Structure formats: structure tokens, C-alpha cells
Amino acid sequence: MSAVNITKNNFHEEILNADKPILLDFWASWCGPCRMVAPAIEEIANERSDIKVCKVNVDEQPELAGRFGIMSIPTLVVMKDGKVTNQAMGARPKSQILALL
């Protein structure tokens, strides 16, 4: 399954009502490090059915970026039961992204 695009309209349903852990990628199309991380994020989305992988475009969803206090992108946020359990800023290899989970 590919990553789910999150907006303020589907945030509650997709994130807060999720029945499994979530990897949330805050990104922007102009961000070089975000583009470096994107293939790993998609691989994780396709390989791991036990987690839900979601993406938030900070340019299109500034309210969500503000809600999470995103100051730098890419920022990866791990959530369980509607609560943030882990967070990391900056590009990192797939192995380090999986270690966040």
C-alpha cells in the first residue's frame, strides 16, 4: 500500500482513528532532503502492512505542520493511539527510519 496523503480534512479519520502505528512524513516538493527520503518512505509503505505510512505536504497543510510544531523538513513523526511516540528531523536512511518505529 502506498503512503496516504494527509490533509486537515482527513486527518481525524486517517490518523486519530487509526488501528495501527503511523509513520507521518512532513515534506515539501521543493525540499531536496525530502526527495532523498521519499523512496524509503514509499518502500516502507509497500513492505510493512503492520504500520500506516502517511505524508503531509507542509506547503499545502500549514495548519497540520503548525499543530505538530514542524520547524524543519523532512520531519518524521511516529504515532500510536493518537499520540506522538517518536520524532526525527532531517534525511536519514531507511534503516534509521525503521528504527524509529
Side-chain angles (χ1 to χ4, degrees):
M1 187 170 136
S2 62
V4 178
N5 204 19
I6 300 299
T7 67
K8 64 182 179 183
N9 296 329
N10 69 357
F11 177 81
H12 190 78
E13 179 185 335
E14 296 286 350
I15 304 296
L16 299 181
N17 291 338
D19 58 353
K20 50 187 159 185
I22 294 170
L23 175 61
L24 194 53
D25 174 24
F26 287 87
W27 69 286
S29 59
W30 50 264
C31 167
C34 298
R35 289 194 302 269
M36 288 171 45
V37 170
I41 298 293
E42 284 301 323
E43 282 178 24
I44 294 167
N46 291 321
E47 294 168 358
R48 298 280 303 263
S49 60
D50 60 321
I51 61 170
K52 186 174 195 173
V53 179
C54 302
K55 296 176 74 77
V56 176
N57 183 321
V58 297
D59 288 337
E60 296 172 1
Q61 303 299 320
E63 291 171 28
L64 289 178
R67 180 174 179 172
F68 282 85
I70 303 303
M71 303 302 263
S72 177
I73 53 173
T75 293
L76 302 172
V77 175
V78 178
M79 296 182 71
K80 292 179 183 155
D81 302 319
K83 307 237 183 314
V84 174
T85 59
N86 209 345
Q87 187 168 325
M89 286 187 289
R92 53 198 59 232
K94 183 178 172 183
S95 59
Q96 288 183 16
I97 295 170
L98 290 170
L100 293 170
L101 301 168

